[in-house]
Amino acid sequence: MTNLYPILFLFPFFLLIQQQWCLQQLAYMDDDFVHINGAQFTLNGAPFYANGFNAYWLMEVASNPSQRPKVTSAFREAIKSSLLIGRTWAFSDGGPNALQSSPGVYNEDMFQGLDFVIYEAGRFGVKLILCLVNNFNDYGGKEQYVQWAKERGQQLQNEESFFTNLMVKSFFKDHIKTVLTRRNTITGVMYKDDPTIMAWELMNEPRCPSDISGATIQNWTLEMACYLKSMDGNHLLEVGLEGFYGASSSQKNPNNSTYGADFIANNQIPEVDFATVHSYPDQWLSNQDDAAQLDFLQQWIHDHIEDAQSILKKPVLFTEFGKSWKHPGYNVSQKDQLYHVVYSSIYRSARTNGVAVGGLFWQQLVQGMDSYKDGYEVILTEPSSTVSLISRQSKKLSVTHKRFLIKKRTQAPRAKRLMQTNWIRNGLQIHAHDEIIKLYKQQGDMN
């Protein structure tokens, strides 16, 4: 006869461990971080669908305390239009007034500007995507990193050595670590622990046309994604892709071009949490008329939603789109049509709990920022058909999240009690029973 006393003695221990796990899951649901559940974003236990905006200039402007009201205005105006996600730069490499003037040397005034951006976003309830480096030369980019390595004796052929040279990669890893472990001078919270940050973006629009096989960007993405995730398990991570397909599916790309990135392979890396897509048919198909550009856009969006759903099984966020008034023949109705195609495609997916989770237009400005105008800007306080469309579509998309939250608030106290009771009475006992069976088997008393 087996002595049951040691096993019975352990039974309460099993219950306690499992109860702690269950309570941790309840806390996880309300930790204010954006999470992934299947192919959806969730926030505090609710599905999170939201539109947003790009404002790359936030840190730069906020580095001057006298200009910080512009940052505050940007967030205030965004929230009024139900724009809940903001994408901005957490880099500025080399050159005057840079965040990082040389490898590992940082401008504290600029970093305090970013501190303020994160603080204000949190105050207004905006979730941030912070990009860590640029593919292009604006604000330094990968060319600046390569130049720093050359100055230290590295023999490098071109800027695409950014993806392969060991010294350059170590510079970038150091930047990742510096940003993630930065302690906000206003809130006192490390960036890697701050739920205001929704996600990290490795690079704005990575390209490597010298290697259309895609191996260079794939290997770099895998290495950097693993490195970042080893330090930060709280936040989501995305690559910063424009959505270009690899050589085997280049017919889906504008003009059948390849850029060394691969929407499928790059996003299949396990450490990458969601996919991103940019949409600029006025740039990519500048020799075609507006109707042809819209036809391409509709197919472009459809392909990426379909592939995210069936192949990647991950959320997809349309992180840049727009139309410039600087192009010949422009009129505002063309811009509105493009915005409508993007927003309506996202909403059709979202209303059936699909993978398209939102769209971020390029770019939001506020009054008094004429030097930042690039033709794509939207100023939300200036009435226009585009501003009305943004607000209307964004409020419609955010209803999914708000309805769930209202329902959750009314049911939360009772639901929490029921969950705890059911887990303890059912799940805990079943789990404990399974553990007892295992102990029996280990003692060889069951056949």
Side-chain angles (χ1 to χ4, degrees), residues 206-209 211-215 217-218 241-268 275-279 284 296-312 314 316 318 355:
R207 297 181 182 185
C208 186
D211 181 9
I212 62 172
S213 75
I217 288 182
Q218 181 76 358
L241 297 171
E242 296 161 273
F244 297 133
Y245 289 89
S248 62
S249 299
S250 62
Q251 73 278 3
K252 295 182 179 181
N253 292 336
N255 302 311
N256 297 323
S257 301
T258 54
Y259 298 91
D262 189 327
F263 177 75
I264 300 299
N266 301 156
N267 285 312
Q268 283 179 321
T276 61
V277 180
H278 295 184
S279 302
W284 299 341
F296 169 82
L297 178 64
Q298 289 176 324
Q299 189 63 47
W300 178 252
I301 295 173
H302 174 270
D303 288 344
H304 286 85
I305 292 176
E306 180 66 25
D307 289 339
Q309 184 87 48
S310 60
I311 301 176
L312 299 177
K314 294 181 180 182
V316 57
F318 291 82
V355 295

Short mmCIF file of all heavy atoms in Angstrom, two decimals, residues 206-209 211-215 217-218 241-268 275-279 284 296-312 314 316 318 355:
data_model
loop_
_atom_site.label_atom_id
_atom_site.label_comp_id
_atom_site.label_asym_id
_atom_site.label_seq_id
_atom_site.Cartn_x
_atom_site.Cartn_y
_atom_site.Cartn_z
N PRO A 206 13.76 49.23 -43.94
CA PRO A 206 15.03 48.57 -44.30
C PRO A 206 15.03 48.07 -45.74
O PRO A 206 14.06 47.46 -46.20
CB PRO A 206 15.10 47.39 -43.31
CG PRO A 206 13.69 47.15 -42.89
CD PRO A 206 13.03 48.50 -42.90
N ARG A 207 16.12 48.36 -46.42
CA ARG A 207 16.32 47.89 -47.80
C ARG A 207 17.78 47.47 -47.97
O ARG A 207 18.67 48.04 -47.34
CB ARG A 207 16.01 48.99 -48.82
CG ARG A 207 14.58 49.47 -48.85
CD ARG A 207 14.40 50.54 -49.92
NE ARG A 207 13.04 51.07 -49.98
CZ ARG A 207 12.63 51.94 -50.90
NH1 ARG A 207 13.48 52.38 -51.83
NH2 ARG A 207 11.38 52.38 -50.89
N CYS A 208 17.98 46.48 -48.82
CA CYS A 208 19.34 46.06 -49.17
C CYS A 208 19.32 45.55 -50.62
O CYS A 208 19.36 44.34 -50.87
CB CYS A 208 19.85 44.97 -48.22
SG CYS A 208 21.58 44.51 -48.47
N PRO A 209 19.25 46.46 -51.58
CA PRO A 209 19.10 46.04 -52.98
C PRO A 209 20.29 45.28 -53.54
O PRO A 209 20.16 44.62 -54.57
CB PRO A 209 18.91 47.38 -53.73
CG PRO A 209 19.42 48.42 -52.80
CD PRO A 209 19.18 47.92 -51.42
N ASP A 211 21.45 42.67 -52.25
CA ASP A 211 21.19 41.25 -51.97
C ASP A 211 19.69 41.00 -52.08
O ASP A 211 18.97 40.99 -51.07
CB ASP A 211 21.70 40.87 -50.58
CG ASP A 211 21.48 39.40 -50.27
OD1 ASP A 211 21.09 38.64 -51.19
OD2 ASP A 211 21.69 39.00 -49.10
N ILE A 212 19.23 40.79 -53.30
CA ILE A 212 17.79 40.59 -53.49
C ILE A 212 17.34 39.20 -53.04
O ILE A 212 16.14 38.93 -53.01
CB ILE A 212 17.39 40.82 -54.97
CG1 ILE A 212 18.09 39.82 -55.89
CG2 ILE A 212 17.67 42.25 -55.38
CD1 ILE A 212 17.58 39.88 -57.32
N SER A 213 18.29 38.33 -52.66
CA SER A 213 17.90 37.04 -52.09
C SER A 213 17.19 37.24 -50.75
O SER A 213 16.44 36.36 -50.31
CB SER A 213 19.12 36.15 -51.88
OG SER A 213 19.88 36.57 -50.76
N GLY A 214 17.46 38.37 -50.12
CA GLY A 214 16.84 38.67 -48.83
C GLY A 214 17.61 38.16 -47.64
O GLY A 214 17.24 38.44 -46.49
N ALA A 215 18.69 37.43 -47.87
CA ALA A 215 19.42 36.81 -46.76
C ALA A 215 20.03 37.85 -45.83
O ALA A 215 20.06 37.66 -44.60
CB ALA A 215 20.51 35.89 -47.30
N ILE A 217 19.12 41.04 -45.01
CA ILE A 217 18.16 41.64 -44.08
C ILE A 217 17.56 40.59 -43.15
O ILE A 217 17.33 40.85 -41.97
CB ILE A 217 17.06 42.40 -44.85
CG1 ILE A 217 17.65 43.69 -45.43
CG2 ILE A 217 15.87 42.71 -43.96
CD1 ILE A 217 16.66 44.56 -46.18
N GLN A 218 17.34 39.39 -43.66
CA GLN A 218 16.79 38.33 -42.82
C GLN A 218 17.72 38.01 -41.65
O GLN A 218 17.28 37.93 -40.50
CB GLN A 218 16.54 37.06 -43.66
CG GLN A 218 15.93 35.90 -42.88
CD GLN A 218 14.45 36.08 -42.60
OE1 GLN A 218 13.87 37.10 -42.93
NE2 GLN A 218 13.84 35.09 -41.97
N LEU A 241 9.16 47.32 -41.91
CA LEU A 241 9.08 47.01 -43.34
C LEU A 241 8.03 47.85 -44.06
O LEU A 241 7.00 48.21 -43.50
CB LEU A 241 8.74 45.54 -43.54
CG LEU A 241 9.77 44.52 -43.01
CD1 LEU A 241 9.18 43.12 -43.08
CD2 LEU A 241 11.07 44.61 -43.78
N GLU A 242 8.31 48.09 -45.35
CA GLU A 242 7.34 48.76 -46.22
C GLU A 242 6.32 47.78 -46.78
O GLU A 242 5.28 48.18 -47.30
CB GLU A 242 8.07 49.44 -47.37
CG GLU A 242 9.00 50.56 -46.92
CD GLU A 242 10.02 50.91 -47.97
OE1 GLU A 242 11.10 50.26 -48.01
OE2 GLU A 242 9.76 51.84 -48.76
N GLY A 243 6.62 46.50 -46.71
CA GLY A 243 5.71 45.48 -47.23
C GLY A 243 6.17 44.86 -48.53
O GLY A 243 5.44 44.04 -49.12
N PHE A 244 7.37 45.21 -49.01
CA PHE A 244 7.86 44.64 -50.26
C PHE A 244 8.09 43.14 -50.10
O PHE A 244 8.63 42.68 -49.09
CB PHE A 244 9.16 45.31 -50.69
CG PHE A 244 9.01 46.78 -51.00
CD1 PHE A 244 9.91 47.71 -50.50
CD2 PHE A 244 7.97 47.24 -51.80
CE1 PHE A 244 9.77 49.06 -50.77
CE2 PHE A 244 7.82 48.59 -52.08
CZ PHE A 244 8.73 49.50 -51.56
N TYR A 245 7.67 42.40 -51.12
CA TYR A 245 7.85 40.95 -51.12
C TYR A 245 9.22 40.58 -51.66
O TYR A 245 9.88 41.37 -52.34
CB TYR A 245 6.75 40.29 -51.96
CG TYR A 245 5.39 40.34 -51.34
CD1 TYR A 245 4.54 41.42 -51.56
CD2 TYR A 245 4.93 39.32 -50.52
CE1 TYR A 245 3.28 41.49 -50.98
CE2 TYR A 245 3.67 39.36 -49.94
CZ TYR A 245 2.85 40.45 -50.17
OH TYR A 245 1.61 40.49 -49.59
N GLY A 246 9.63 39.35 -51.35
CA GLY A 246 10.90 38.84 -51.84
C GLY A 246 10.85 38.51 -53.32
O GLY A 246 9.80 38.64 -53.98
N ALA A 247 11.98 38.08 -53.85
CA ALA A 247 12.12 37.87 -55.29
C ALA A 247 11.09 36.89 -55.84
O ALA A 247 10.62 37.05 -56.98
CB ALA A 247 13.54 37.38 -55.60
N SER A 248 10.71 35.90 -55.08
CA SER A 248 9.78 34.88 -55.59
C SER A 248 8.36 35.42 -55.75
O SER A 248 7.54 34.81 -56.43
CB SER A 248 9.77 33.66 -54.65
OG SER A 248 9.30 34.03 -53.36
N SER A 249 8.06 36.55 -55.12
CA SER A 249 6.71 37.15 -55.23
C SER A 249 6.80 38.60 -55.65
O SER A 249 5.93 39.41 -55.32
CB SER A 249 5.97 37.03 -53.89
OG SER A 249 5.80 35.69 -53.50
N SER A 250 7.83 38.94 -56.41
CA SER A 250 8.05 40.34 -56.76
C SER A 250 6.94 40.91 -57.64
O SER A 250 6.80 42.13 -57.76
CB SER A 250 9.40 40.50 -57.47
OG SER A 250 9.42 39.77 -58.68
N GLN A 251 6.12 40.05 -58.24
CA GLN A 251 5.02 40.54 -59.07
C GLN A 251 3.99 41.31 -58.25
O GLN A 251 3.20 42.08 -58.80
CB GLN A 251 4.34 39.38 -59.82
CG GLN A 251 3.48 38.48 -58.95
CD GLN A 251 4.28 37.42 -58.20
OE1 GLN A 251 5.51 37.38 -58.28
NE2 GLN A 251 3.58 36.54 -57.49
N LYS A 252 4.01 41.13 -56.93
CA LYS A 252 3.11 41.87 -56.05
C LYS A 252 3.63 43.26 -55.73
O LYS A 252 2.90 44.10 -55.21
CB LYS A 252 2.88 41.10 -54.74
CG LYS A 252 2.17 39.76 -54.90
CD LYS A 252 1.96 39.11 -53.55
CE LYS A 252 1.22 37.79 -53.64
NZ LYS A 252 0.99 37.18 -52.31
N ASN A 253 4.91 43.50 -55.99
CA ASN A 253 5.53 44.78 -55.66
C ASN A 253 5.26 45.82 -56.74
O ASN A 253 5.00 45.47 -57.89
CB ASN A 253 7.05 44.62 -55.50
CG ASN A 253 7.43 43.79 -54.30
OD1 ASN A 253 6.67 43.69 -53.34
ND2 ASN A 253 8.61 43.21 -54.33
N PRO A 254 5.34 47.09 -56.39
CA PRO A 254 5.22 48.12 -57.43
C PRO A 254 6.32 47.96 -58.47
O PRO A 254 7.50 47.80 -58.12
CB PRO A 254 5.37 49.43 -56.65
CG PRO A 254 5.99 49.05 -55.35
CD PRO A 254 5.54 47.67 -55.06
N ASN A 255 5.94 47.93 -59.73
CA ASN A 255 6.88 47.80 -60.85
C ASN A 255 7.70 46.51 -60.79
O ASN A 255 8.79 46.43 -61.37
CB ASN A 255 7.82 49.00 -60.90
CG ASN A 255 7.07 50.31 -61.06
OD1 ASN A 255 6.20 50.44 -61.91
ND2 ASN A 255 7.39 51.28 -60.20
N ASN A 256 7.20 45.52 -60.06
CA ASN A 256 7.89 44.22 -59.92
C ASN A 256 9.30 44.36 -59.36
O ASN A 256 10.16 43.51 -59.59
CB ASN A 256 7.96 43.48 -61.27
CG ASN A 256 6.58 43.15 -61.81
OD1 ASN A 256 5.67 42.82 -61.05
ND2 ASN A 256 6.41 43.25 -63.12
N SER A 257 9.54 45.42 -58.62
CA SER A 257 10.88 45.68 -58.08
C SER A 257 11.15 44.85 -56.84
O SER A 257 10.22 44.43 -56.14
CB SER A 257 11.03 47.17 -57.75
OG SER A 257 10.82 47.96 -58.90
N THR A 258 12.44 44.64 -56.55
CA THR A 258 12.84 43.97 -55.31
C THR A 258 13.83 44.86 -54.58
O THR A 258 14.63 45.57 -55.20
CB THR A 258 13.48 42.59 -55.59
OG1 THR A 258 14.55 42.76 -56.53
CG2 THR A 258 12.47 41.62 -56.14
N TYR A 259 13.79 44.79 -53.26
CA TYR A 259 14.60 45.69 -52.44
C TYR A 259 15.42 44.97 -51.37
O TYR A 259 15.98 45.61 -50.49
CB TYR A 259 13.70 46.73 -51.78
CG TYR A 259 12.98 47.61 -52.78
CD1 TYR A 259 11.71 47.26 -53.25
CD2 TYR A 259 13.55 48.77 -53.26
CE1 TYR A 259 11.04 48.05 -54.18
CE2 TYR A 259 12.89 49.58 -54.19
CZ TYR A 259 11.64 49.21 -54.63
OH TYR A 259 10.98 50.00 -55.56
N GLY A 260 15.45 43.66 -51.43
CA GLY A 260 16.21 42.91 -50.44
C GLY A 260 15.46 42.62 -49.15
O GLY A 260 15.99 41.96 -48.26
N ALA A 261 14.24 43.14 -49.05
CA ALA A 261 13.38 42.81 -47.92
C ALA A 261 12.35 41.79 -48.37
O ALA A 261 12.11 41.61 -49.56
CB ALA A 261 12.68 44.07 -47.41
N ASP A 262 11.75 41.11 -47.41
CA ASP A 262 10.79 40.06 -47.73
C ASP A 262 9.68 40.07 -46.70
O ASP A 262 9.88 39.66 -45.55
CB ASP A 262 11.46 38.70 -47.75
CG ASP A 262 10.57 37.58 -48.29
OD1 ASP A 262 9.35 37.65 -48.08
OD2 ASP A 262 11.10 36.65 -48.91
N PHE A 263 8.51 40.56 -47.09
CA PHE A 263 7.40 40.71 -46.17
C PHE A 263 7.06 39.41 -45.45
O PHE A 263 6.75 39.41 -44.25
CB PHE A 263 6.16 41.21 -46.92
CG PHE A 263 4.93 41.33 -46.08
CD1 PHE A 263 4.80 42.38 -45.18
CD2 PHE A 263 3.90 40.40 -46.18
CE1 PHE A 263 3.66 42.49 -44.38
CE2 PHE A 263 2.76 40.51 -45.39
CZ PHE A 263 2.64 41.57 -44.49
N ILE A 264 7.15 38.30 -46.15
CA ILE A 264 6.81 37.01 -45.54
C ILE A 264 7.93 36.52 -44.63
O ILE A 264 7.73 36.31 -43.42
CB ILE A 264 6.50 35.95 -46.61
CG1 ILE A 264 5.31 36.40 -47.49
CG2 ILE A 264 6.18 34.61 -45.94
CD1 ILE A 264 4.02 36.62 -46.74
N ALA A 265 9.11 36.34 -45.16
CA ALA A 265 10.21 35.74 -44.39
C ALA A 265 10.61 36.60 -43.19
O ALA A 265 10.81 36.09 -42.08
CB ALA A 265 11.42 35.52 -45.29
N ASN A 266 10.73 37.91 -43.40
CA ASN A 266 11.15 38.78 -42.30
C ASN A 266 10.16 38.76 -41.15
O ASN A 266 10.56 38.77 -39.97
CB ASN A 266 11.32 40.22 -42.78
CG ASN A 266 12.34 40.38 -43.88
OD1 ASN A 266 12.28 41.34 -44.65
ND2 ASN A 266 13.29 39.46 -44.03
N ASN A 267 8.88 38.70 -41.47
CA ASN A 267 7.85 38.71 -40.42
C ASN A 267 7.60 37.34 -39.81
O ASN A 267 6.90 37.24 -38.79
CB ASN A 267 6.55 39.29 -40.96
CG ASN A 267 6.61 40.79 -41.12
OD1 ASN A 267 7.04 41.51 -40.22
ND2 ASN A 267 6.19 41.29 -42.28
N GLN A 268 8.14 36.29 -40.41
CA GLN A 268 7.98 34.95 -39.83
C GLN A 268 8.97 34.69 -38.71
O GLN A 268 8.86 33.67 -38.01
CB GLN A 268 8.13 33.88 -40.92
CG GLN A 268 6.89 33.74 -41.81
CD GLN A 268 7.06 32.70 -42.89
OE1 GLN A 268 8.13 32.56 -43.49
NE2 GLN A 268 6.00 31.94 -43.14
N ALA A 275 3.31 42.54 -38.33
CA ALA A 275 3.81 43.00 -39.62
C ALA A 275 3.42 44.46 -39.85
O ALA A 275 2.46 44.96 -39.27
CB ALA A 275 3.24 42.13 -40.74
N THR A 276 4.20 45.12 -40.71
CA THR A 276 3.89 46.50 -41.07
C THR A 276 3.91 46.67 -42.58
O THR A 276 4.58 45.92 -43.30
CB THR A 276 4.91 47.48 -40.46
OG1 THR A 276 6.22 47.19 -40.96
CG2 THR A 276 4.91 47.39 -38.94
N VAL A 277 3.15 47.67 -43.04
CA VAL A 277 3.06 47.96 -44.47
C VAL A 277 3.03 49.48 -44.65
O VAL A 277 2.37 50.19 -43.89
CB VAL A 277 1.78 47.35 -45.08
CG1 VAL A 277 1.69 47.67 -46.58
CG2 VAL A 277 1.73 45.85 -44.86
N HIS A 278 3.76 49.97 -45.66
CA HIS A 278 3.68 51.37 -46.08
C HIS A 278 3.02 51.43 -47.45
O HIS A 278 3.08 50.47 -48.21
CB HIS A 278 5.07 52.00 -46.13
CG HIS A 278 5.74 52.11 -44.79
ND1 HIS A 278 6.96 52.72 -44.61
CD2 HIS A 278 5.36 51.67 -43.57
CE1 HIS A 278 7.29 52.67 -43.34
NE2 HIS A 278 6.34 52.02 -42.68
N SER A 279 2.40 52.56 -47.76
CA SER A 279 1.64 52.67 -49.01
C SER A 279 1.80 54.07 -49.60
O SER A 279 1.19 55.03 -49.10
CB SER A 279 0.15 52.37 -48.76
OG SER A 279 -0.03 51.08 -48.20
N TRP A 284 5.60 55.43 -55.86
CA TRP A 284 6.00 54.18 -56.50
C TRP A 284 5.53 54.10 -57.95
O TRP A 284 6.19 53.47 -58.78
CB TRP A 284 5.42 53.00 -55.72
CG TRP A 284 5.89 52.90 -54.30
CD1 TRP A 284 6.99 53.48 -53.75
CD2 TRP A 284 5.25 52.17 -53.24
NE1 TRP A 284 7.09 53.17 -52.42
CE2 TRP A 284 6.03 52.35 -52.07
CE3 TRP A 284 4.12 51.38 -53.16
CZ2 TRP A 284 5.71 51.78 -50.84
CZ3 TRP A 284 3.79 50.80 -51.95
CH2 TRP A 284 4.58 51.00 -50.80
N PHE A 296 -3.87 49.78 -57.75
CA PHE A 296 -2.72 49.10 -57.15
C PHE A 296 -2.85 49.08 -55.63
O PHE A 296 -2.60 48.04 -54.99
CB PHE A 296 -1.41 49.80 -57.53
CG PHE A 296 -0.22 49.31 -56.73
CD1 PHE A 296 0.45 48.15 -57.10
CD2 PHE A 296 0.20 49.99 -55.59
CE1 PHE A 296 1.51 47.68 -56.35
CE2 PHE A 296 1.26 49.52 -54.83
CZ PHE A 296 1.92 48.37 -55.21
N LEU A 297 -3.23 50.20 -55.03
CA LEU A 297 -3.34 50.29 -53.58
C LEU A 297 -4.32 49.27 -53.03
O LEU A 297 -4.05 48.60 -52.01
CB LEU A 297 -3.76 51.70 -53.18
CG LEU A 297 -3.97 51.94 -51.68
CD1 LEU A 297 -2.67 51.78 -50.91
CD2 LEU A 297 -4.57 53.33 -51.44
N GLN A 298 -5.47 49.14 -53.67
CA GLN A 298 -6.47 48.18 -53.20
C GLN A 298 -5.94 46.75 -53.21
O GLN A 298 -6.14 45.99 -52.26
CB GLN A 298 -7.74 48.29 -54.04
CG GLN A 298 -8.53 49.56 -53.79
CD GLN A 298 -9.73 49.70 -54.71
OE1 GLN A 298 -9.70 49.31 -55.88
NE2 GLN A 298 -10.81 50.27 -54.19
N GLN A 299 -5.22 46.40 -54.28
CA GLN A 299 -4.65 45.06 -54.37
C GLN A 299 -3.52 44.89 -53.37
O GLN A 299 -3.37 43.83 -52.74
CB GLN A 299 -4.14 44.79 -55.79
CG GLN A 299 -3.72 43.34 -56.03
CD GLN A 299 -4.88 42.38 -55.88
OE1 GLN A 299 -5.97 42.59 -56.41
NE2 GLN A 299 -4.67 41.29 -55.14
N TRP A 300 -2.70 45.91 -53.20
CA TRP A 300 -1.58 45.91 -52.25
C TRP A 300 -2.06 45.64 -50.83
O TRP A 300 -1.52 44.78 -50.12
CB TRP A 300 -0.88 47.26 -52.34
CG TRP A 300 0.28 47.54 -51.45
CD1 TRP A 300 0.30 48.39 -50.38
CD2 TRP A 300 1.62 47.04 -51.56
NE1 TRP A 300 1.55 48.44 -49.82
CE2 TRP A 300 2.38 47.62 -50.53
CE3 TRP A 300 2.25 46.15 -52.43
CZ2 TRP A 300 3.74 47.34 -50.34
CZ3 TRP A 300 3.60 45.88 -52.25
CH2 TRP A 300 4.33 46.46 -51.22
N ILE A 301 -3.12 46.35 -50.43
CA ILE A 301 -3.66 46.16 -49.09
C ILE A 301 -4.29 44.78 -48.95
O ILE A 301 -4.09 44.08 -47.96
CB ILE A 301 -4.69 47.26 -48.77
CG1 ILE A 301 -3.99 48.62 -48.71
CG2 ILE A 301 -5.42 46.97 -47.47
CD1 ILE A 301 -4.94 49.79 -48.58
N HIS A 302 -5.05 44.37 -49.96
CA HIS A 302 -5.69 43.06 -49.93
C HIS A 302 -4.65 41.95 -49.78
O HIS A 302 -4.82 41.02 -48.97
CB HIS A 302 -6.51 42.84 -51.20
CG HIS A 302 -7.08 41.45 -51.31
ND1 HIS A 302 -6.40 40.41 -51.93
CD2 HIS A 302 -8.26 40.93 -50.88
CE1 HIS A 302 -7.13 39.32 -51.87
NE2 HIS A 302 -8.27 39.60 -51.25
N ASP A 303 -3.59 42.00 -50.56
CA ASP A 303 -2.56 40.96 -50.51
C ASP A 303 -1.94 40.86 -49.12
O ASP A 303 -1.71 39.74 -48.61
CB ASP A 303 -1.46 41.25 -51.53
CG ASP A 303 -1.91 41.01 -52.97
OD1 ASP A 303 -2.94 40.33 -53.17
OD2 ASP A 303 -1.23 41.50 -53.90
N HIS A 304 -1.67 42.00 -48.51
CA HIS A 304 -0.99 41.97 -47.21
C HIS A 304 -1.91 41.51 -46.08
O HIS A 304 -1.47 40.78 -45.18
CB HIS A 304 -0.39 43.34 -46.90
CG HIS A 304 0.82 43.65 -47.72
ND1 HIS A 304 0.76 44.19 -48.98
CD2 HIS A 304 2.15 43.44 -47.47
CE1 HIS A 304 1.98 44.33 -49.46
NE2 HIS A 304 2.84 43.89 -48.57
N ILE A 305 -3.17 41.89 -46.15
CA ILE A 305 -4.10 41.39 -45.14
C ILE A 305 -4.28 39.89 -45.30
O ILE A 305 -4.27 39.13 -44.32
CB ILE A 305 -5.45 42.12 -45.25
CG1 ILE A 305 -5.30 43.59 -44.84
CG2 ILE A 305 -6.50 41.44 -44.37
CD1 ILE A 305 -6.56 44.41 -45.01
N GLU A 306 -4.42 39.45 -46.54
CA GLU A 306 -4.60 38.02 -46.80
C GLU A 306 -3.38 37.21 -46.35
O GLU A 306 -3.51 36.15 -45.72
CB GLU A 306 -4.85 37.80 -48.29
CG GLU A 306 -5.06 36.35 -48.69
CD GLU A 306 -6.32 35.73 -48.11
OE1 GLU A 306 -7.27 36.49 -47.82
OE2 GLU A 306 -6.35 34.50 -47.94
N ASP A 307 -2.19 37.70 -46.66
CA ASP A 307 -0.97 36.97 -46.29
C ASP A 307 -0.71 37.00 -44.79
O ASP A 307 -0.21 36.02 -44.22
CB ASP A 307 0.23 37.54 -47.05
CG ASP A 307 0.18 37.21 -48.54
OD1 ASP A 307 -0.52 36.25 -48.90
OD2 ASP A 307 0.84 37.92 -49.32
N ALA A 308 -1.05 38.12 -44.15
CA ALA A 308 -0.91 38.17 -42.70
C ALA A 308 -1.87 37.20 -42.03
O ALA A 308 -1.54 36.57 -41.02
CB ALA A 308 -1.16 39.59 -42.20
N GLN A 309 -3.06 37.05 -42.62
CA GLN A 309 -4.08 36.16 -42.06
C GLN A 309 -3.73 34.69 -42.29
O GLN A 309 -3.75 33.89 -41.35
CB GLN A 309 -5.43 36.46 -42.71
CG GLN A 309 -6.59 35.66 -42.15
CD GLN A 309 -7.21 36.32 -40.94
OE1 GLN A 309 -7.50 37.51 -40.95
NE2 GLN A 309 -7.44 35.55 -39.90
N SER A 310 -3.38 34.35 -43.51
CA SER A 310 -3.26 32.92 -43.86
C SER A 310 -1.85 32.37 -43.71
O SER A 310 -1.69 31.17 -43.44
CB SER A 310 -3.73 32.70 -45.30
OG SER A 310 -2.96 33.46 -46.21
N ILE A 311 -0.83 33.21 -43.87
CA ILE A 311 0.56 32.72 -43.81
C ILE A 311 1.23 33.12 -42.50
O ILE A 311 1.71 32.26 -41.75
CB ILE A 311 1.38 33.24 -45.01
CG1 ILE A 311 0.75 32.79 -46.32
CG2 ILE A 311 2.83 32.75 -44.91
CD1 ILE A 311 1.45 33.36 -47.56
N LEU A 312 1.26 34.41 -42.21
CA LEU A 312 1.96 34.87 -41.02
C LEU A 312 1.19 34.57 -39.74
O LEU A 312 1.78 34.29 -38.70
CB LEU A 312 2.20 36.38 -41.11
CG LEU A 312 3.06 36.88 -42.26
CD1 LEU A 312 3.13 38.40 -42.25
CD2 LEU A 312 4.46 36.28 -42.20
N LYS A 314 -0.34 36.73 -38.01
CA LYS A 314 0.04 37.81 -37.11
C LYS A 314 -0.73 39.07 -37.49
O LYS A 314 -1.17 39.21 -38.63
CB LYS A 314 1.55 38.10 -37.20
CG LYS A 314 2.44 36.98 -36.70
CD LYS A 314 3.93 37.36 -36.82
CE LYS A 314 4.82 36.24 -36.31
NZ LYS A 314 6.26 36.61 -36.36
N VAL A 316 -1.37 42.89 -38.69
CA VAL A 316 -0.67 43.77 -39.63
C VAL A 316 -1.17 45.20 -39.41
O VAL A 316 -2.36 45.46 -39.34
CB VAL A 316 -0.88 43.33 -41.10
CG1 VAL A 316 -2.35 43.28 -41.49
CG2 VAL A 316 -0.10 44.24 -42.05
N PHE A 318 -0.81 49.12 -40.80
CA PHE A 318 -0.42 49.94 -41.95
C PHE A 318 0.19 51.24 -41.41
O PHE A 318 -0.51 52.21 -41.13
CB PHE A 318 -1.63 50.17 -42.86
CG PHE A 318 -2.06 48.91 -43.55
CD1 PHE A 318 -2.88 47.99 -42.90
CD2 PHE A 318 -1.62 48.62 -44.83
CE1 PHE A 318 -3.24 46.80 -43.50
CE2 PHE A 318 -1.99 47.43 -45.46
CZ PHE A 318 -2.80 46.52 -44.79
N VAL A 355 -7.00 40.47 -39.07
CA VAL A 355 -5.61 40.78 -38.68
C VAL A 355 -5.24 42.24 -38.90
O VAL A 355 -4.22 42.70 -38.37
CB VAL A 355 -4.62 39.89 -39.46
CG1 VAL A 355 -4.79 38.42 -39.08
CG2 VAL A 355 -4.76 40.09 -40.97
#
